Amino acid sequence: RLAQVPAEVVVVNHAMGLYELAAIHLSAQPPNLYESALAIDAFACLVEGLDERLGPDVSTLRDALSQIRLAFVQIKGTAVEDA
């Protein structure tokens, strides 16, 4: 079955799973910055490394990467202020 699905679809699904993983760790109380950073970095490797090869969803993935990076910086700033 998996061989019948275009590889870009599978890769995009996995990339979005990394995005979701990062968001879960960022929303934890307290946020797990190390785990979220790892997931964000892995997500970035796919999005920035494969870029246009990801097909028509690449612009959505780029936007998602920007949003999760911004969220990380904001949450990290809040965590440092609270410490």
Side-chain angles (χ1 to χ4, degrees), residues 35-71:
E35 298 293 337
S36 61
L38 180 59
I40 291 167
D41 289 346
F43 181 47
C45 285
L46 289 174
V47 174
E48 295 171 344
L50 296 174
D51 198 44
E52 297 295 329
R53 294 177 64 195
L54 294 173
D57 294 319
V58 71
S59 63
T60 302
L61 292 169
R62 285 187 202 126
D63 290 343
L65 179 57
S66 294
Q67 290 171 4
I68 200 72
R69 281 177 166 164
L70 179 60

Side-chain angles (χ1 to χ4, degrees), residues 3 5 8 11 14 16 21 23-24 26 31-32 37 40 42 44-45 55-58 60 62-63 68-69 74 76:
V5 178
E8 75 181 37
V11 173
H14 284 289
M16 288 310 297
L21 180 63
I24 288 167
L26 285 176
N32 189 328
I40 291 167
C45 285
D57 294 319
V58 71
T60 302
R62 285 187 202 126
D63 290 343
I68 200 72
R69 281 177 166 164
Q74 291 173 335
K76 184 177 180 181

